[in-house]
Amino acid sequence: MGLAFVPIYIKYLGIESYGLIGLFAVLTAWLSLLDMGMTPTLSREMARFTGGSSSGQSIRDLLRTIEVIIISIALVIAVGVSLGANWIATYWLRSDELSIEVVGQAFAIMGLVTALRFAESIYRSSIVGLQRQVLFNIVNSCLSTVRGLGAVCVLAWLSPSIQAFFVWQGLLSVLTLVIFAALTYASLPPIRKRARFSLQELRRVWRFAGGLLGITFLALLLTQVDKLLLSKLLSLTDFGYYTLAASVAAVLYMMITPISQAVYPRLCELQACGDQPVLADTYHKSAQLVSVLAGSPAILIIVFADVFLRLWTQDPDLAQRTAPLLSVLMIGNLLNGIMWIPYQTQLAHGWTSLTVKVNFVAVAIFVPTILFLTPRYGALGAALSWAILNLFYVLIAVQFMYRRILRGERWNWYVHDLLFPLGSSLLIALLLRLIWPPEHAMLNQLLLLSVGLLLTTTCSLLSSSRLRRHFQNTFHTLL
């Protein structure tokens, strides 16, 4: 829903205001550091609870402890961002059309919305860890629909201003927080004693949470430093184009995140039970699922970025300026996405030090590269740096994992999980590009893209050994 309404947001707000929405995403990402790794740790402990590793009293005490800490931090975030809003509007951003007062007011409201989103993460991670995937996604989809449609209605009928947009986001965040909190407590078994704040529970998970904090900090440097630097080095208008490309490229994570959310608790459960053969099989099925469901549309967008953007925005100039950025950012996101399952497997084994070390080396290389390329090549330089960085992860960093866990599975991952499904999708997409008609009606181009997505996904699925067998067995069972 967030992606579907982007052209409408730009229509009512303008590209500069849309740049502020991009900065809101950056702000939300950076302030997630303040949870100190506690919410992903909570998700892991909820998953281990389903495997019988802790009692109902223990998990509720841990939840209450993290609630007290996160909600306190959320209050600090709301006050801190609001107090610094005018300084950001005056000294950091370069706005050509929006006044300093408007930008300052928008940032003040952002502070409240960010705090609410920050508190939401407690209950989102809990529901995912409890493996209530269907319930979580039904509720999340409904709330996302209301959030997107409501924002359009507010802009169209009440006030086409960035302040009104963020006020609506805040109201929906309050509703979301209440609903997810209620679902979390309803999903836990009842206990005799009331849940309480417990330093003992906090000490039990603190080491793992500290490792996740280091990973999160370094990962944010790698994924958000480009946007942070570009917000300073580029005008707000040019940053808006980069934000648009990044928003479209981020649609890939909408396909990868549900897979990782469903798989991670299962990997934790299998690791806690010591069932390595089933864990390895789950690992490869999940990796192939990412390659098929995320890789196929990603490759199609990489090859047809200009066509996709023209159809989506109905603005040829906007599409022309954004298409090169979209192709390169999508390559980087695809390479990043196929590393999610290996990363989740490391966390399931409680191994955080590898990612911390690898990301530390990556930051030491990536940040100077951004500072060197961005002033010379603009946003495209930052996008190229992102793609090269993720190629380093796939070719080099993952080698260290296979030396310690999932030994003997490395080439199976490269060949069967990546090369076959992604290679078949790329081949089909390139063949379609060669025969693509230069000029065609919008409906015809949309139909051709849909056929292309169907072909690339089908070929990718047929090239994935474990998924192909799974679907064959399901088909025979149905017959």
Side-chain angles (χ1 to χ4, degrees), residues 204-423:
R204 181 172 64 86
V205 301
W206 186 250
R207 184 175 180 180
F208 182 76
L212 282 179
L213 174 62
I215 291 172
T216 304
F217 174 70
L218 294 170
L220 281 171
L221 279 178
L222 295 169
T223 57
Q224 302 295 330
V225 73
D226 56 339
K227 302 175 185 66
L228 191 63
L229 291 175
L230 289 175
S231 69
K232 177 65 175 177
L233 297 172
L234 302 178
S235 68
L236 200 52
T237 299
D238 289 336
F239 181 71
Y241 289 115
Y242 186 85
T243 299
L244 177 62
S247 298
V248 179
V251 73
L252 193 64
Y253 296 127
M254 298 180 190
M255 302 175 189
I256 299 173
T257 300
I259 299 172
S260 65
Q261 282 181 345
V263 169
Y264 176 60
R266 177 64 172 158
L267 292 173
C268 293
E269 182 183 2
L270 292 171
Q271 193 277 331
C273 298
D275 197 341
Q276 288 300 311
V278 178
L279 188 147
D281 182 64
T282 303
Y283 172 83
H284 288 297
K285 281 182 180 178
S286 306
Q288 290 184 16
L289 195 61
V290 169
S291 294
V292 172
L293 294 185
S296 299
I299 288 172
L300 198 67
I301 290 176
I302 290 167
V303 177
F304 291 95
D306 54 336
V307 178
F308 174 81
L309 286 169
R310 281 199 304 270
L311 290 173
W312 182 50
T313 64
Q314 295 295 298
D315 188 334
D317 179 64
L318 186 65
Q320 183 180 3
R321 297 188 63 169
T322 312
L325 292 172
L326 174 58
S327 293
V328 178
L329 287 172
M330 186 63 82
I331 291 172
N333 284 5
L334 176 58
L335 293 171
N336 182 267
I338 60 181
M339 288 296 299
W340 279 32
I341 300 302
Y343 169 65
Q344 302 283 11
T345 306
Q346 294 170 47
L347 293 187
H349 285 77
W351 187 21
T352 59
S353 59
L354 173 62
T355 306
V356 171
K357 294 173 182 176
V358 169
N359 283 356
F360 184 80
V361 174
V363 167
I365 299 172
F366 183 57
V367 174
T369 304
I370 289 283
L371 293 173
F372 176 79
L373 292 179
T374 300
R376 291 164 176 78
Y377 303 103
L380 188 60
L384 285 169
S385 301
W386 173 242
I388 294 170
L389 170 71
N390 285 287
L391 185 62
F392 157 78
Y393 281 122
V394 174
L395 296 181
I396 300 175
V398 76
Q399 308 300 326
F400 298 98
M401 185 194 81
Y402 286 115
R403 292 182 180 181
R404 177 168 169 177
I405 58 178
L406 295 174
R407 295 178 180 177
E409 302 293 340
R410 172 173 46 189
W411 291 111
N412 195 0
W413 181 70
Y414 274 120
V415 176
H416 295 285
D417 300 351
L418 303 185
L419 180 62
F420 286 170
L422 295 177

Side-chain angles (χ1 to χ4, degrees), residues 33 63-64 73 123 177 362 439 449:
L33 277 176
L63 174 60
R64 177 56 49 83
I73 296 173
Y123 308 109
L177 180 64
E439 294 293 339
L449 276 182

